[in-house]
Amino acid sequence: MNQSEQIGELAKALAQAQGEIMPALKDNNNTYFKSKYAALTSVWSACRPALTKYGIAICQTTDEINGKLMLITTMMHTSGQWIRSYMPILAAKQDAQSMGSAISYARRYALAAIAGVTAEDDDGNAATRPQSVANVNKISRESADELHALFDKCPENFSNL
């Protein structure tokens, strides 16, 4: 079973929380792919205040299921209602560093998925553009984040003012 018998209270609280959840900031660098990504702490920072405000908690644990290590993410509400998701943990090697990295990776994606957290994503377009085009008319990440925050504060119909 992946949810409690009833989830109406949880669904209402999650809908309210998602109205306040902000995008996760891409605050870490992936040196291998030369790209930025939102770390687990950034995803938590994006959703924790709103989830907490509406009585929602997240618990992430691991267990072996059918011979595979799985991340189990449970979203719980103060009403006792809950939903749960399962994600396989895929590590390149079976050493502590690889396992820790794979668990963090799975936690980040599972948390974002269950809470509805997004991050700015260009679907890999920046990495596939020709270098001569990629460097034209760029602004800094800080400036882009600042502009994004300002747009979020505008009323929906601000262009009609």
Side-chain angles (χ1 to χ4, degrees):
M1 179 180 224
N2 291 329
Q3 67 184 46
S4 56
E5 223 174 279
Q6 302 290 322
I7 62 165
E9 300 272 337
L10 172 58
K12 179 180 176 185
L14 181 57
Q16 291 171 312
Q18 286 180 337
E20 298 177 19
I21 290 174
M22 300 301 294
L25 298 176
K26 289 187 175 184
D27 56 354
N28 275 25
N29 291 309
N30 181 323
T31 55
Y32 184 77
F33 289 108
K34 296 181 175 78
S35 62
K36 292 182 79 74
Y37 68 94
L40 177 58
T41 53
S42 180
V43 176
W44 265 116
S45 294
C47 66
R48 187 186 322 249
L51 294 176
T52 301
K53 178 178 177 180
Y54 294 101
I56 300 170
I58 304 288
C59 180
Q60 293 183 304
T61 60
T62 59
D63 197 3
E64 189 174 317
I65 300 173
N66 297 327
K68 293 185 180 179
L69 185 60
M70 302 290 283
L71 175 72
I72 304 163
T73 301
T74 306
M75 175 180 280
M76 302 166 283
H77 185 252
T78 53
S79 66
Q81 297 175 356
W82 55 272
I83 58 174
R84 180 172 293 142
S85 70
Y86 298 84
M87 182 175 188
I89 297 174
L90 306 172
K93 296 186 272 182
Q94 297 300 304
D95 62 7
Q97 185 174 2
S98 293
M99 290 302 295
S101 179
I103 290 169
S104 291
Y105 185 91
R107 288 186 64 204
R108 176 167 41 109
Y109 279 93
L111 173 61
I114 203 164
V117 177
T118 61
E120 287 184 11
D121 188 0
D122 71 352
D123 198 27
N125 289 328
T128 59
R129 272 187 289 174
Q131 188 64 26
S132 59
V133 175
N135 290 323
V136 176
N137 297 325
K138 275 191 161 184
I139 63 172
S140 70
R141 170 54 53 197
E142 293 77 21
S143 294
D145 290 343
E146 185 177 338
L147 285 171
H148 184 60
L150 290 170
F151 282 130
D152 284 346
K153 291 179 183 177
C154 293
E156 285 187 27
N157 62 350
F158 80 97
S159 61
N160 296 332
L161 297 176

